[in-house]
Amino acid sequence: MTSGNPYETVELLAKARDRMLEPVAGSASLLRGLGAEARGGGLVARLEELGVGPTQLARAIAVLGADSTPDLLASLAGMSESEVAEHTELLRQARIVTTRADREAQNGRGPGKPTGPDAGPRAEDAPAPAATREPAHPKPLHPSPAPTHLEFAHPLIASAVYGSMSPAARTAMHGRAAWALTGAGHGPAAVSRHLLEVHPDEDEDVVDQLRAAADEHLAVGAPDAARRCLERALAEPPGPDSYARVLYELGCASLLTAPAATVRHLSSALELPGLDDGLRIDATYRLAQALAHNNQLREAARVLAAEAVRTPPGTDRRRLQAANFMYEGFQAAEEDGPARSRRLADLTAHFTGADNSERALLTVRGFDAMMRGEPADEVVRLCDLALVDGIPARGLGWTDPTWGFEIPALTGIAYAFSDRPDRAGILFTEAARAFEISGWSGAHLAFAHTLLGLVHRRRGNLPRAQHYLEEGLRLADRVGNGLPVHWDTACLLVDTLVARGRTAEARSVADRYSFGPPWPGAIVLPDGPSVLGRLLLAEGRVEEAVDTLEAAAEALVDRGRHHVVWAPWPLDLARALAPTDPDRAAGIAAEARAHAERIGTPTALGEALRCAAAVADPPEARRLLTEAVAHLAASPSRYEEARAHLDLARATGSAAALAKATELAADCGASLHAPDAVTARASFHPPE
């Protein structure tokens, strides 16, 4: 009779009990008619049989939903509280509405007889003989006080009652509900649900309430709800004095989910009168964020530079300058990167982190210094100045709308490549927590997982890194395709899988996410061409690898970017060229070593020495590898240390070095015998 629908099954059993019918096959013809009453029109017809008052009350409950308290229902339905109580009792007896007390009784948490839709027949509830039975829905002689909260016994009833109302009636009731809730002191977010359903009427009060509701939604991490409120406010429409502000607020609300729409809204807002200087600065900053997220970095930098020229010296200008330097640095190609780096260094030379604008610029400067291969101690000093007691300052947090998540992200990335993954891990763990609390479950949460994957990659915990990176891609896939986070995460995952010796899996990821040329307009974390070259070497495609690594060199050297861990192209290119062009290979290795010595981290020094050993004669190689092992023992990365011990074992035949390499490889989840960028062209093997 019911095809297993739980609500209809319970309702049909209750109806059969009321009419003293056995719920068996022999009663099928009678039961079929009763079952129809539990659906759609049958529900509505049964409700209307109770009378105008109960029907009107049920419609009020359908409109008010979770706010269906007696006082609000009385206001919306135009009844006295005693009438509400009387009609409520009829609706309860008809199993149309229920109360919290009824629910608790059904669940065994309180006294009372179940009256909801899942109240099945019980022995003690057997019906009285027909001669003594009362009518199915008697009018109570003494109505009990109205319960504090009413709800439908089943969502199907709510849908049927709401759908039975004409569109005009629903709209009118939503309008009355909005003002009833406002009069009862409910907040804008509760009222907005009803305002969304009323017709636009150029009512500035409606606009104000919807804007206030959007603020509440954003405060609790519901940007989609905020966007709906502001889109409805824009349709009202606002007056000329507030139209630009609503466009600005709508652009802010859609930044996380629809960068292209944000660009349209904020560009329009900036072209209209109505934004004061502070809002204009903020709108420009957010417009640049949206352009950057929409892969329009050059336009983002241009917008910021133009506004900075019009802005007097001070905090606002520094805010625009920080974003301008950041988005210029993020571009994959730049006309004069070294000149930009010099301007940034000069601007921040005497900053102490006195306020957030200085801290933001120090962060950008620290990240740029890392990319350029400046001493890691200086990078760490700059990052430390950008924080307060090791964490982002108030106003510079992960979900702060003023500065955006990029500032703390750059700090953590600079730490990670400066052999401080512990500090980066603290920042990135907080990022994931903050994004989840704020409801940022899309690209932002995906990026947080990518950053945590970076931390574990730099620590040498390759299985953990793979876990976070795969989860980052899963989250990013839910948002869309070809996002910047896809490039960064795929790049790191390819690098991690190659390090684990899982070359085929790395190739699968690269192909799935089109990891390769043409490269995006933004830099990839770590350097994409360098990682692709490493994958090609692991696959034995040496000529393609050389071409890819030389293209990486051409793009980065002119910009003055020489961090050999973030962009390890020289380490792999030297090894690839060693058999055919040993002199050039030696020159590249020597230059990489010089840059590593400038950086000064154990990881950079150890990796550069391993590279130098790969192109040196055997006695010199043994000496260099011994030195590399010593440096990498002080590195946070167990993977690079394992590779150094393996290289030393191959060069010297040391069983102790091989044992240590095996131990470290097991600890970090790497395979010593699978080809990678280091071993693909090696002509010697570990001793037996």
Side-chain angles (χ1 to χ4, degrees), residues 613-661:
V615 298
D617 57 41
E620 178 66 6
R622 288 191 288 272
R623 186 188 69 77
L624 291 170
L625 287 170
T626 301
E627 191 177 346
V629 165
H631 281 295
L632 288 167
S635 163
S637 178
R638 300 282 71 82
Y639 169 72
E640 278 76 13
E641 185 183 0
R643 303 308 305 186
H645 280 284
L646 178 61
D647 288 352
L648 184 61
R650 286 172 165 160
T652 64
S654 168
L658 181 58
K660 184 64 174 179

Coordinates of all heavy atoms in Angstrom, one line a residue, residues 613-661:
A613 N 78.1 16.1 -5.7 CA 78.8 14.8 -5.7 C 78.4 14.0 -6.9 O 79.2 13.2 -7.4 CB 78.3 14.0 -4.4
A614 N 77.2 14.2 -7.5 CA 76.8 13.4 -8.6 C 77.6 13.7 -9.9 O 77.6 12.9 -10.8 CB 75.3 13.7 -8.9
V615 N 78.3 14.9 -9.9 CA 79.0 15.3 -11.1 C 80.5 15.4 -10.8 O 81.3 15.9 -11.6 CB 78.6 16.6 -11.6 CG1 77.1 16.5 -12.1 CG2 78.7 17.8 -10.6
A616 N 80.9 14.9 -9.6 CA 82.3 14.9 -9.2 C 83.0 13.5 -9.4 O 82.3 12.5 -9.5 CB 82.4 15.3 -7.7
D617 N 84.4 13.5 -9.3 CA 85.0 12.2 -9.4 C 84.8 11.5 -8.1 O 84.5 12.1 -7.1 CB 86.5 12.4 -9.7 CG 87.2 13.3 -8.7 OD1 87.0 13.2 -7.5 OD2 88.0 14.2 -9.1
P618 N 85.1 10.2 -8.1 CA 84.7 9.4 -6.9 C 85.3 9.8 -5.6 O 84.5 9.9 -4.6 CB 85.2 8.0 -7.3 CG 85.1 7.9 -8.8 CD 85.5 9.3 -9.2
P619 N 86.6 10.2 -5.4 CA 87.1 10.6 -4.1 C 86.3 11.9 -3.6 O 86.0 12.0 -2.5 CB 88.6 10.9 -4.3 CG 88.9 10.0 -5.5 CD 87.7 10.1 -6.4
E620 N 86.2 12.8 -4.6 CA 85.5 14.1 -4.2 C 84.0 13.8 -3.9 O 83.5 14.4 -3.0 CB 85.7 15.1 -5.3 CG 84.9 16.4 -5.1 CD 85.5 17.3 -3.9 OE1 86.6 16.8 -3.4 OE2 84.9 18.3 -3.6
A621 N 83.4 12.9 -4.6 CA 82.0 12.6 -4.4 C 81.8 12.0 -3.0 O 80.9 12.4 -2.3 CB 81.5 11.6 -5.4
R622 N 82.8 11.2 -2.6 CA 82.6 10.6 -1.2 C 82.7 11.7 -0.1 O 82.0 11.7 0.8 CB 83.7 9.5 -1.0 CG 83.4 8.2 -1.8 CD 84.3 7.1 -1.4 NE 85.7 7.3 -1.8 CZ 86.2 6.9 -3.0 NH1 85.4 6.3 -3.8 NH2 87.5 7.1 -3.3
R623 N 83.7 12.6 -0.4 CA 83.8 13.7 0.6 C 82.6 14.6 0.7 O 82.1 14.9 1.7 CB 85.0 14.5 0.2 CG 85.4 15.6 1.3 CD 86.5 16.6 0.8 NE 86.0 17.4 -0.3 CZ 85.2 18.5 -0.1 NH1 84.8 18.8 1.1 NH2 84.8 19.2 -1.2
L624 N 82.1 14.9 -0.5 CA 80.9 15.8 -0.6 C 79.7 15.1 0.0 O 78.9 15.7 0.7 CB 80.6 16.2 -2.0 CG 81.6 17.1 -2.7 CD1 81.3 17.2 -4.2 CD2 81.5 18.5 -2.1
L625 N 79.5 13.8 -0.2 CA 78.4 13.1 0.3 C 78.5 13.0 1.9 O 77.5 13.0 2.6 CB 78.3 11.7 -0.3 CG 77.8 11.7 -1.8 CD1 77.9 10.3 -2.4 CD2 76.3 12.2 -1.8
T626 N 79.7 12.8 2.4 CA 79.8 12.8 3.8 C 79.4 14.1 4.4 O 78.7 14.1 5.5 CB 81.3 12.5 4.2 OG1 81.7 11.2 3.6 CG2 81.5 12.4 5.7
E627 N 79.8 15.2 3.8 CA 79.4 16.5 4.2 C 77.9 16.7 4.1 O 77.2 17.3 5.0 CB 80.1 17.6 3.4 CG 80.0 19.0 4.0 CD 80.8 20.0 3.2 OE1 81.7 19.6 2.4 OE2 80.6 21.2 3.4
A628 N 77.3 16.2 3.0 CA 75.9 16.3 2.8 C 75.1 15.6 3.9 O 74.1 16.1 4.4 CB 75.5 15.7 1.4
V629 N 75.5 14.4 4.2 CA 74.9 13.6 5.3 C 74.9 14.4 6.6 O 73.9 14.4 7.3 CB 75.6 12.2 5.4 CG1 75.2 11.6 6.8 CG2 75.2 11.3 4.3
A630 N 76.0 15.0 6.9 CA 76.1 15.8 8.1 C 75.1 17.0 8.1 O 74.5 17.2 9.1 CB 77.5 16.3 8.3
H631 N 75.0 17.6 7.0 CA 74.0 18.8 6.9 C 72.6 18.2 7.0 O 71.8 18.8 7.8 CB 74.2 19.5 5.6 CG 75.3 20.5 5.6 ND1 75.4 21.6 6.4 CD2 76.5 20.5 4.9 CE1 76.5 22.2 6.2 NE2 77.2 21.6 5.3
L632 N 72.3 17.2 6.3 CA 70.9 16.7 6.3 C 70.5 16.1 7.6 O 69.3 16.0 7.9 CB 70.7 15.8 5.1 CG 70.7 16.5 3.7 CD1 70.8 15.5 2.6 CD2 69.4 17.4 3.6
A633 N 71.4 15.6 8.4 CA 71.1 15.1 9.7 C 70.5 16.2 10.6 O 69.7 15.9 11.5 CB 72.3 14.5 10.4
A634 N 70.8 17.5 10.2 CA 70.3 18.6 11.0 C 69.0 19.2 10.3 O 68.4 20.1 10.7 CB 71.3 19.7 11.1
S635 N 68.6 18.6 9.1 CA 67.5 19.0 8.4 C 66.2 18.4 9.0 O 66.2 17.3 9.5 CB 67.6 18.6 6.9 OG 66.4 18.7 6.2
P636 N 65.1 19.1 8.8 CA 63.8 18.5 9.3 C 63.3 17.4 8.4 O 62.4 16.6 8.7 CB 62.8 19.7 9.3 CG 63.4 20.6 8.3 CD 64.9 20.5 8.4
S637 N 63.9 17.3 7.2 CA 63.4 16.3 6.2 C 64.1 15.0 6.2 O 65.3 14.9 5.9 CB 63.5 16.9 4.8 OG 63.0 15.9 3.8
R638 N 63.4 14.0 6.6 CA 64.0 12.7 6.7 C 64.2 12.1 5.3 O 65.1 11.2 5.1 CB 63.1 11.7 7.5 CG 62.9 12.2 9.0 CD 64.1 11.9 9.9 NE 65.2 12.7 9.6 CZ 65.4 13.9 10.0 NH1 64.5 14.5 10.8 NH2 66.5 14.6 9.7
Y639 N 63.4 12.5 4.4 CA 63.5 11.9 3.0 C 64.8 12.3 2.4 O 65.6 11.4 1.9 CB 62.3 12.4 2.1 CG 62.6 12.0 0.7 CD1 62.5 10.7 0.2 CD2 62.9 13.0 -0.3 CE1 62.7 10.4 -1.1 CE2 63.1 12.7 -1.6 CZ 63.0 11.4 -2.0 OH 63.3 11.0 -3.3
E640 N 65.2 13.6 2.4 CA 66.4 14.0 1.8 C 67.6 13.4 2.5 O 68.6 13.0 1.9 CB 66.5 15.5 1.8 CG 65.8 16.2 0.6 CD 64.3 16.3 0.8 OE1 63.8 16.0 1.9 OE2 63.6 16.6 -0.2
E641 N 67.5 13.2 3.8 CA 68.6 12.6 4.6 C 68.7 11.1 4.1 O 69.8 10.6 4.0 CB 68.3 12.6 6.1 CG 69.4 12.1 6.9 CD 69.2 12.1 8.4 OE1 68.1 12.5 8.8 OE2 70.0 11.6 9.2
A642 N 67.6 10.4 3.9 CA 67.6 9.0 3.5 C 68.4 8.9 2.1 O 69.2 8.0 1.9 CB 66.2 8.5 3.4
R643 N 68.0 9.8 1.2 CA 68.7 9.8 -0.1 C 70.2 10.0 0.0 O 71.0 9.4 -0.7 CB 68.0 10.8 -1.0 CG 66.6 10.7 -1.3 CD 66.1 9.3 -1.7 NE 66.7 8.8 -2.8 CZ 66.4 7.7 -3.4 NH1 65.3 7.0 -3.0 NH2 67.0 7.2 -4.5
A644 N 70.6 10.9 0.9 CA 72.0 11.2 1.1 C 72.7 10.0 1.6 O 73.8 9.6 1.1 CB 72.2 12.4 2.0
H645 N 72.2 9.3 2.6 CA 72.8 8.0 3.1 C 72.9 7.0 2.0 O 73.8 6.2 1.9 CB 72.0 7.5 4.3 CG 72.3 8.2 5.6 ND1 73.5 8.0 6.3 CD2 71.6 9.2 6.3 CE1 73.5 8.8 7.4 NE2 72.4 9.5 7.4
L646 N 71.8 6.9 1.2 CA 71.9 5.9 0.1 C 73.0 6.3 -0.9 O 73.7 5.4 -1.4 CB 70.5 5.9 -0.6 CG 70.4 4.9 -1.8 CD1 70.7 3.5 -1.4 CD2 69.1 5.1 -2.5
D647 N 73.1 7.5 -1.3 CA 74.2 7.9 -2.2 C 75.5 7.6 -1.6 O 76.4 7.2 -2.3 CB 74.1 9.4 -2.5 CG 72.9 9.8 -3.4 OD1 72.2 8.9 -3.9 OD2 72.6 11.0 -3.5
L648 N 75.7 7.8 -0.3 CA 76.9 7.6 0.4 C 77.2 6.1 0.4 O 78.4 5.6 0.1 CB 76.9 8.1 1.8 CG 78.2 7.9 2.6 CD1 79.4 8.7 1.9 CD2 78.1 8.5 4.0
A649 N 76.2 5.3 0.6 CA 76.4 3.8 0.5 C 76.8 3.4 -0.8 O 77.7 2.5 -1.0 CB 75.1 3.1 0.9
R650 N 76.2 3.9 -1.9 CA 76.6 3.6 -3.2 C 78.0 4.0 -3.6 O 78.8 3.3 -4.3 CB 75.6 4.2 -4.2 CG 74.3 3.6 -4.2 CD 73.3 4.4 -5.1 NE 72.1 3.6 -5.4 CZ 71.0 4.1 -5.8 NH1 70.8 5.4 -5.9 NH2 69.9 3.3 -6.0
A651 N 78.4 5.2 -3.0 CA 79.7 5.7 -3.4 C 80.8 5.0 -2.6 O 82.0 4.9 -3.0 CB 79.8 7.2 -3.1
T652 N 80.5 4.5 -1.4 CA 81.6 3.9 -0.5 C 81.4 2.5 -0.2 O 82.3 1.8 0.3 CB 81.6 4.7 0.9 OG1 80.3 4.5 1.5 CG2 81.7 6.2 0.7
G653 N 80.2 1.9 -0.5 CA 80.0 0.5 -0.1 C 79.7 0.3 1.4 O 79.8 -0.8 1.9
S654 N 79.4 1.4 2.1 CA 79.2 1.4 3.5 C 77.9 0.7 3.9 O 76.8 1.1 3.5 CB 79.2 2.8 4.1 OG 78.8 2.8 5.4
A655 N 78.0 -0.4 4.6 CA 76.8 -1.1 5.1 C 76.1 -0.3 6.1 O 74.8 -0.3 6.2 CB 77.2 -2.5 5.7
A656 N 76.8 0.5 6.9 CA 76.2 1.3 7.9 C 75.3 2.4 7.2 O 74.2 2.7 7.7 CB 77.2 2.0 8.8
A657 N 75.9 3.0 6.2 CA 75.1 4.0 5.5 C 73.9 3.5 4.8 O 72.8 4.1 4.8 CB 76.0 4.7 4.4
L658 N 74.0 2.3 4.3 CA 72.8 1.6 3.7 C 71.8 1.3 4.7 O 70.6 1.5 4.5 CB 73.3 0.4 2.9 CG 72.1 -0.4 2.2 CD1 71.4 0.5 1.2 CD2 72.7 -1.7 1.5
A659 N 72.2 0.8 5.8 CA 71.3 0.5 6.9 C 70.5 1.8 7.4 O 69.3 1.7 7.6 CB 72.0 -0.1 8.1
K660 N 71.3 2.8 7.5 CA 70.7 4.1 7.9 C 69.7 4.6 6.9 O 68.6 5.1 7.2 CB 71.7 5.2 8.2 CG 71.2 6.5 8.7 CD 70.6 6.3 10.1 CE 70.2 7.6 10.7 NZ 69.5 7.5 12.0
A661 N 70.1 4.5 5.6 CA 69.2 4.9 4.5 C 67.9 4.1 4.5 O 66.8 4.6 4.4 CB 69.9 4.7 3.2

